[in-house]
Amino acid sequence: MKFPLSTALLGALLVFVFSPAQAADSAFAVNQAAPAPVYHVKGVIKSISPHALTLSHDAVPELQWPPMTMPFALAKNLVLPALSVNDPVDFDVSLIDGRYDIIALTVRH
């Protein structure tokens, strides 16, 4: 009869260790991810479309990116200033849904 008692004790221990309140607390802690890092970059606008900008930009050492020209999506609700091709800009990018989006941009004068 030791086996059923051991099983009952193990079951009680599992209920205590994995209580719904603790599971909810753990889920809450897991869902509170740290905000994605923001990278500050200098570049020049090469093309403009409604949802993206192609920029020739300086190196981004934190991302191990060399200077290059590439398209960047625009973050939702981003309001851009008036822009023209060849405008020098300072912009911030952050990883959003698996891609680097522009989250802020100013034209350098």
Side-chain angles (χ1 to χ4, degrees):
M1 285 288 153
K2 289 183 182 181
F3 181 75
L5 180 58
S6 298
T7 304
L9 288 174
L10 178 61
L13 179 61
L14 288 174
V15 168
F16 177 76
V17 171
F18 296 106
S19 71
Q22 286 179 335
D25 288 344
S26 297
F28 181 73
V30 169
N31 290 333
Q32 286 188 345
V38 175
Y39 303 96
H40 309 286
V41 188
K42 292 183 183 296
V44 176
I45 296 176
K46 294 300 178 184
S47 71
I48 303 168
S49 71
H51 303 289
L53 297 175
T54 298
L55 299 160
S56 174
H57 65 78
D58 293 348
V60 184
E62 302 90 348
L63 294 171
Q64 299 178 0
W65 289 358
M68 65 179 128
T69 300
M70 61 186 284
F72 288 93
L74 304 174
K76 292 178 184 174
N77 302 320
L78 176 65
V79 177
L80 292 173
L83 299 173
S84 297
V85 171
N86 294 321
D87 279 348
V89 294
D90 293 322
F91 62 103
D92 294 344
V93 294
S94 189
L95 188 61
I96 300 173
D97 295 331
R99 66 179 187 209
Y100 285 95
D101 287 1
I102 296 174
I103 60 170
L105 181 139
T106 57
V107 177
R108 279 186 278 129
H109 297 283

